[in-house]
Amino acid sequence: MSAAHPGEAAEPEPTPAAAPDQWPAPPLADWPIGPEVAPTASAPPPGVPRQRLHPLTPLLESFRFFAAAIAAAGIQVVTSQNYLFAVYIALAAAVLGGVGSLISIQYRGFVIWGPELHIYGGVFTRNHRTVPLGRLQSVDVARPLRARLFGLAQLNIEVAGSDGTDAKLAYLKADRALELRGELLAIAGRPSGDVAVDGDVAETDESAEEVKTPPPGQVVPPVRVRRLATASLLEALPVQISALVIFGAAYLTAGSIFGFNRVTTTVWVGFIAPALLGYVQSTIATVNKFLRNCRFRLRRDGQSLLIERGLTDTSHETVPQDRVTAVSFERPVLWRGRRWRRVEVSTAAAAQSSAGVGTRLTTVLPVGEPDLVAAVTEAAVPGLPSQFTVERPPRRARWRMPLRWKWNGAALDEQVFVVRHGLLVNTYFAVPYARIQSVTVVQGPLQRLQGLATVRAMTAGGLGNDAVAYHRDAREAASMADELRERADAAAALETPRLS
Amino acid sequence: MNARATPVWDLWPADLEWQPMARQLRTVWVLRSLLRLGILALIAAVGLTIWLGWDGLLWALGGYVVIAGLRALAVARIVSTWGYSERAEDLLVRHGLLTRRLSIVPYGRIQLIDLSAGPVERMFGLTTVQVRTAALGSTTEVPGLDPAVAAALRDRLAVRAAEVREGL
């Protein structure tokens, strides 16, 4: 009441009970609120000159378009000897591509502004990406094949806490890329030496292939190309053989019914050709996977694993140790004699999509012997063994899965819940107890007659990440679920920095 | 032999106290199934009447009475299998007549608790509690509780979830 009087300004503030609606309003905080947000949140003013990317960039990025144009022209020449049309196609492609790239290069560029890197792009839809250099994880110089032809390189910039998609600066001249990388690392306050090994190892790597012990800083020695090729081949062989057998059998049966003349037209076009497309696609996928896993390197950096792989395109992945929700050990059927296994980890990514928690499956070892598997496992989840003994479902469940029964099983290990499944690709799927979200026990009508039940331990993410123990004895299933819950609580209580 | 007929949740090593659903849930679900079958019966009646004349209407009615009666019996039994049990560290929900399901949700993993009530449920004074964890497809539902019971359950779950936060 009296606070408004200027003469009584020295009086202490009135009690809340007196007149709350007559207080002077507190001064508004400067926007944006917070001391250190203000300088970093500023975008560079529009006048700041942007640094350009290399003029060839749009051409290299739309190389598929040019490949298609060349293919079209080539087909014209080969099939109909139509040179003029081929020239037209080439001219049209060149003009379109040239004009398009001239326009698009105007809008592309980047600015280093304070502690941030701003990347601009897009003609119709403008992109503006801000990379906070303070959270810079790594900067690598990658040289895809098509860029290497022109002496260009691209920078992959990885930032901590992002969703795994690197910011890219493509393409720059190779020496400019190296220089820029040093600049960015200097701004981030990181020594440029500790990641320098990623830079241009393309040439030095071939000599390192024969090394048996891991190079310093790496968890496993690089996987040799020959071994990877053998492994891919052995993995693909059953599918390939069965596909060929099915195609052959279909062709022969159809031929013996309709006669071989009509077979070539009707059956081939109607049935085999579409199926052949799928077969070709799966073959291409296998080859692609092989190419992606070439030059596989796994490094350990504090609490996370860094993966670098790829023959033509180097790609990077980061696996934070404390986000690993499951480890799976896979063994395609023909790897059995060599005791090879592939190790993959599922990691729970922070909620990026609307669906909540997403998961990623990352290969941490494309192929390896038991000792390599053990080393990788230890690096991914400390203390996790890589050999498990699981208990099969009871014999009375055998008729339900006659082929798979032998390869099925489940066990409550010391640290993890392990299930085993799969005939063609036999997999041990291990979920650390601390990562189990909830447990369900399901018993279908037939299972009830047999006294069986299925236990499912759910982890964060999709249904594919659940450890499922099929057809356990019902009593065992119930006690297994109980035990899982107890161990999950005990394990979660031990974790000191809790995730949320 | 007897062990085989018992549902899987009765094989739980420790003793559990199962809380039943509210009594009105049976009424609501039986009504709902009658309504759904009624719509089917209407469609069938139109077809049968075109095919058989007015006799078709009788056939449809008779068929509806028989099928709906059986269905109502089954639904009543299904409702009686629903139950939930709050333990010190987790919530257990069981249901199912043919396929029996037992879900165990630890309090520490609960991310969201939803209360929902549709128009029919509101008419009968029922509320559904849904509990979500970070795992996809692990939404555990406790249908048909009295609103007061549901709110109390929600509050208890929320308090315990805040006490033991375990995250992913």
Side-chain angles (χ1 to χ4, degrees):
Chain A
M1 270 161 272
S2 55
H5 277 267
E8 290 170 354
E11 205 183 78
E13 284 183 19
T15 52
D21 50 338
Q22 288 183 20
W23 294 353
L28 286 175
D30 288 336
W31 186 88
I33 300 163
E36 72 268 277
V37 182
T40 57
S42 65
V48 171
R50 296 174 185 174
Q51 304 193 46
R52 291 276 165 80
L53 298 169
H54 196 273
L56 279 179
T57 302
L59 296 186
L60 286 177
E61 277 181 351
S62 50
F63 75 104
R64 288 208 174 88
F65 167 70
F66 288 102
I70 290 169
I75 287 172
Q76 283 298 324
V77 168
V78 170
T79 54
S80 53
Q81 305 285 313
N82 197 344
Y83 290 102
L84 197 61
F85 197 69
V87 170
Y88 285 156
I89 289 178
L91 267 181
V95 169
L96 271 181
V99 171
S101 49
L102 268 182
I103 293 172
S104 87
I105 200 71
Q106 299 301 317
Y107 294 102
R108 308 186 57 152
F110 61 98
V111 177
I112 299 175
W113 188 254
E116 287 177 350
L117 170 69
H118 298 264
I119 304 172
Y120 300 89
V123 178
F124 296 109
T125 316
R126 302 280 167 78
N127 301 318
H128 175 199
R129 189 161 188 182
T130 310
V131 182
L133 293 177
R135 295 195 295 145
L136 197 69
Q137 194 88 27
S138 71
V139 183
D140 342 280
V141 181
R143 310 188 67 183
L145 195 61
R146 54 181 181 274
R148 216 179 285 177
L149 289 178
F150 298 95
L152 301 181
Q154 74 177 35
L155 280 184
N156 293 336
I157 300 162
E158 197 182 343
V159 178
S162 76
D163 54 352
T165 54
D166 300 357
K168 274 183 194 164
L169 277 181
Y171 296 92
L172 300 160
K173 280 201 171 128
D175 47 349
R176 173 73 186 125
L178 274 175
E179 190 187 317
L180 189 64
R181 175 170 160 276
E183 238 171 86
L184 293 178
L185 286 173
I187 292 172
R190 307 242 320 218
S192 57
D194 78 309
V195 258
V197 277
D198 320 355
D200 35 10
V201 273
E203 291 77 28
T204 58
D205 205 32
E206 311 306 320
S207 57
E209 263 180 17
E210 299 301 319
V211 180
K212 256 304 187 186
T213 52
Q218 295 197 11
V219 180
V220 287
V223 179
R224 275 151 53 196
V225 177
R226 249 184 62 201
R227 159 176 297 188
L228 193 62
T230 322
S232 304
L233 187 70
L234 286 180
E235 188 182 356
L237 214 55
V239 181
Q240 296 277 324
I241 289 177
S242 50
L244 289 180
V245 164
I246 288 172
F247 286 145
Y251 187 77
L252 287 182
T253 36
S256 57
I257 295 170
F258 300 112
F260 279 94
N261 276 334
R262 263 204 277 162
V263 161
T264 47
T265 53
T266 54
V267 177
W268 177 254
V269 172
F271 172 69
I272 297 188
L276 209 61
L277 273 183
Y279 165 75
V280 168
Q281 208 164 24
S282 89
T283 312
I284 290 175
T286 308
V287 173
N288 262 340
K289 198 172 163 191
F290 164 72
L291 288 179
R292 275 206 312 270
N293 278 336
C294 266
R295 292 175 54 209
F296 187 94
R297 270 163 296 156
L298 181 70
R299 278 192 300 126
R300 195 169 175 169
D301 179 29
Q303 284 297 301
S304 49
L305 296 177
L306 304 180
I307 294 160
E308 268 187 271
R309 61 202 180 105
L311 187 66
T312 52
D313 291 283
T314 315
S315 66
H316 299 258
E317 282 156 305
T318 313
V319 179
Q321 252 177 14
D322 51 2
R323 294 257 179 216
V324 172
T325 57
V327 185
S328 65
F329 305 88
E330 298 175 5
R331 192 196 54 200
V333 71
L334 289 181
W335 291 11
R336 204 183 295 163
R338 298 169 189 257
R339 299 171 65 220
W340 285 347
R341 278 193 186 275
R342 173 173 56 226
V343 186
E344 291 186 341
V345 293
S346 316
T347 43
Q352 291 289 342
S353 57
S354 55
V357 181
T359 44
R360 264 192 317 164
L361 202 67
T362 316
T363 308
V364 289
L365 182 70
V367 54
E369 276 109 359
D371 53 333
L372 294 187
V373 171
V376 167
T377 316
E378 172 71 29
V381 181
L384 180 69
S386 60
Q387 304 281 340
F388 304 100
T389 46
V390 293
E391 202 185 326
R392 285 179 190 148
R395 264 208 110 72
R396 59 181 185 275
R398 185 160 193 174
W399 64 270
R400 305 179 69 112
M401 35 183 193
L403 293 175
R404 289 175 298 143
W405 179 81
K406 207 176 150 194
W407 306 104
N408 256 55
L412 293 158
D413 209 70
E414 219 164 276
Q415 275 198 30
V416 289
F417 178 48
V418 193
V419 294
R420 185 189 193 196
H421 57 82
L423 180 69
L424 267 184
V425 181
N426 192 241
T427 308
Y428 283 101
F429 194 77
V431 177
Y433 290 126
R435 293 284 164 270
I436 295 176
Q437 291 283 328
S438 67
V439 181
T440 46
V441 183
V442 181
Q443 190 180 39
L446 267 178
Q447 281 183 318
R448 188 148 50 93
L449 287 179
Q450 286 191 289
L452 300 173
T454 295
V455 183
R456 182 184 282 269
M458 300 189 174
T459 64
L463 286 177
N465 288 308
D466 297 345
V468 192
Y470 289 102
H471 308 314
R472 312 303 298 185
D473 180 73
R475 201 173 288 278
E476 188 203 337
S479 58
M480 191 185 263
D482 191 26
E483 187 76 29
L484 276 176
R485 280 290 309 116
E486 269 172 28
R487 293 195 186 194
D489 278 345
L494 282 181
E495 288 207 321
T496 33
R498 292 194 174 167
L499 304 163
S500 59
Chain B
M1 274 300 126
N2 202 16
R4 296 192 174 179
T6 53
V8 66
W9 48 75
D10 286 343
L11 299 173
W12 194 264
D15 278 341
L16 299 172
E17 282 178 34
W18 292 107
Q19 313 281 330
M21 301 293 131
R23 205 166 292 160
Q24 310 93 297
L25 182 67
R26 195 168 64 186
T27 328
V28 173
W29 281 21
V30 167
L31 278 182
R32 205 171 61 185
S33 71
L34 290 184
L35 200 72
R36 281 184 189 162
L37 282 174
I39 293 169
L40 280 184
L42 265 182
I43 296 168
V46 172
L48 284 172
T49 316
I50 290 169
W51 184 31
L52 297 174
W54 291 111
D55 279 356
L57 213 58
L58 276 181
W59 276 107
L61 192 68
Y64 174 65
V65 167
V66 172
I67 294 173
L70 289 176
R71 181 70 191 151
L73 278 181
V75 167
R77 283 189 64 198
I78 286 173
V79 170
S80 68
T81 63
W82 276 88
Y84 70 96
S85 164
E86 288 174 77
R87 296 200 304 168
E89 295 287 322
D90 42 22
L91 172 75
L92 277 72
V93 182
R94 60 161 210 202
H95 68 99
L97 190 63
L98 278 179
T99 301
R100 315 211 158 188
R101 285 169 203 279
L102 170 68
S103 314
I104 307 136
V105 186
Y107 297 134
R109 307 289 183 174
I110 292 176
Q111 296 215 327
L112 283 175
I113 308 167
D114 289 346
L115 291 193
S116 64
V120 182
E121 285 180 317
R122 273 208 302 279
M123 224 174 349
F124 286 85
L126 286 176
T127 306
T128 299
V129 180
Q130 281 183 335
V131 178
R132 284 163 210 258
T133 68
L136 219 74
S138 77
T139 305
T140 308
E141 220 181 43
V142 186
L145 294 175
D146 284 323
V149 177
L153 177 65
R154 191 251 331 256
D155 292 345
R156 280 199 302 275
L157 290 181
V159 166
R160 287 186 188 162
E163 278 169 5
V164 272
R165 183 102 217 121
E166 285 165 6
L168 303 176

